[in-house]
Amino acid sequence: GVDFARELGAMGCHLILVARREDRLRQVADEICTQHSVQAQIITADLSKPEAPQQIYDQLKTEGKQVDVLINNAGYGLYGEFVKLDWEREKNMLELDILTVVALTKLFVRDMVARNFGFVLQVASIGAYQPSPLYATYSAAKSFVLNFSEAVNYELRGTNVKISVVSPGVTRTEFLQVSGQKPTFYQRMAMMESPAVVKIGIKAMLVGLGIKAMLVGHPSVVPGLMNASTIFLNRFMPRRMAAAITHRLMRSQSH
């Protein structure tokens, strides 16, 4: 999220940053405003709460703020066997990774369609492309995000509103720490840097800078040659085999 904000700020975009921790939000906003002479508003909210999307939308509507680019980046995963994961944490993850994404997309895309201009970038995962043991519900949630977004993007084909999905592999963020997994050899070898993933995602949706940006509407992109090759090869193997290979790659030494 921070790297998305930095990249868009460098492009001259005014920002609305949403997260739970006000101190971190304010620090990032001050940094970007100082470096790039843009405006950055912060909204402190827990996006996993059912009422959060509507509250954010209503606040911005009351303030007369228009959102031209929506990036649904908030989310996390949980690592472990399905039968052993705590249900309350798993439920919270699914609400954030699925329901919040749909709610924010519906609220803001309606206005984009009315203006006939706007763009949404959803953040999925390469896990969206195959069954992923030990990340079963997380990857299934990202499969939802991928299919949902590509379907709505097609529905919007007659408008100047587009939805794209970026599906990273393992990226150097707090993801593994939050999920509860120690990185495997495969993950350490395949790990990409967050700013590189962000640039690929934004490039897939925007060409140019600031108000000169043009929507190009790539429906989905997988960053990194290794990740893209893995997804391509998945098409040619039985799904049970894909699940077995994914399990082996995701299985930590201590698991």
Side-chain angles (χ1 to χ4, degrees):
V2 172
D3 288 322
F4 275 117
R6 286 171 175 158
E7 186 68 18
L8 290 170
M11 295 171 65
C13 298
H14 300 303
L15 305 172
I16 299 167
L17 308 177
V18 182
R20 290 178 301 169
R21 293 174 286 189
E22 182 178 355
D23 55 337
R24 292 280 299 275
L25 279 175
R26 198 168 298 282
Q27 180 182 353
V28 172
D30 291 345
E31 171 200 320
I32 294 172
C33 291
T34 300
Q35 290 183 0
H36 304 296
S37 299
V38 297
Q39 299 173 16
Q41 177 181 351
I42 66 171
I43 297 177
T44 305
D46 183 351
L47 285 168
S48 68
K49 301 297 183 184
E51 65 276 8
Q54 188 69 54
Q55 290 175 348
I56 293 166
Y57 175 81
D58 290 344
Q59 177 181 335
L60 295 176
K61 199 76 170 176
T62 299
E63 296 172 356
K65 299 290 178 60
Q66 177 176 303
V67 174
D68 291 323
V69 177
L70 171 67
I71 298 183
N72 279 321
N73 179 70
Y76 66 96
L78 291 175
Y79 174 79
E81 295 177 18
F82 171 72
V83 295
K84 296 180 180 179
L85 290 177
D86 177 74
W87 168 238
E88 288 304 318
R89 286 200 70 205
E90 199 169 19
K91 180 182 177 183
N92 180 270
M93 177 194 73
L94 292 171
E95 288 171 341
L96 178 60
D97 291 0
I98 296 177
L99 296 181
T100 297
V101 170
V102 175
L104 287 170
T105 302
K106 184 176 288 289
L107 288 167
F108 287 100
V109 165
R110 282 173 171 169
D111 288 349
M112 292 176 183
V113 171
R115 297 191 303 270
N116 199 32
F117 180 84
F119 206 85
V120 180
L121 180 63
Q122 316 280 33
V123 179
S125 163
I126 60 169
Y129 289 89
Q130 71 268 320
S132 302
L134 303 179
Y135 278 106
T137 46
Y138 168 76
S139 290
K142 293 305 184 179
S143 294
F144 176 92
V145 171
L146 177 65
N147 286 280
F148 158 72
S149 302
E150 289 188 342
V152 177
N153 181 64
Y154 187 82
E155 291 180 13
L156 298 172
R157 66 193 182 281
T159 73
N160 288 318
V161 181
K162 305 296 179 184
I163 299 179
S164 286
V165 188
V166 59
S167 297
V170 61
T171 306
R172 197 179 306 278
T173 64
E174 297 177 353
F175 178 87
L176 292 176
Q177 178 183 345
V178 173
S179 74
Q181 182 187 17
K182 294 181 179 180
T184 65
F185 172 77
Y186 162 76
Q187 289 170 325
R188 292 193 299 270
M189 181 177 63
M191 188 171 292
M192 293 183 66
E193 298 298 325
S194 176
V197 172
V198 164
K199 288 179 184 294
I200 291 169
I202 291 178
K203 184 179 179 180
M205 75 173 183
L206 295 176
V207 176
L209 298 173
I211 62 173
K212 296 181 180 179
M214 293 175 55
L215 303 181
V216 296
H218 293 304
S220 58
V221 61
V222 177
L225 179 60
M226 181 179 292
N227 296 325
S229 299
T230 299
I231 298 309
F232 177 77
L233 293 173
N234 276 348
R235 303 176 184 181
F236 304 102
M237 68 176 69
R239 290 180 63 79
R240 182 177 176 85
M241 182 182 294
I245 292 173
T246 302
H247 179 261
R248 187 174 184 85
L249 293 176
M250 292 296 105
R251 193 168 184 264
S252 298
Q253 292 293 329
S254 59
H255 190 81

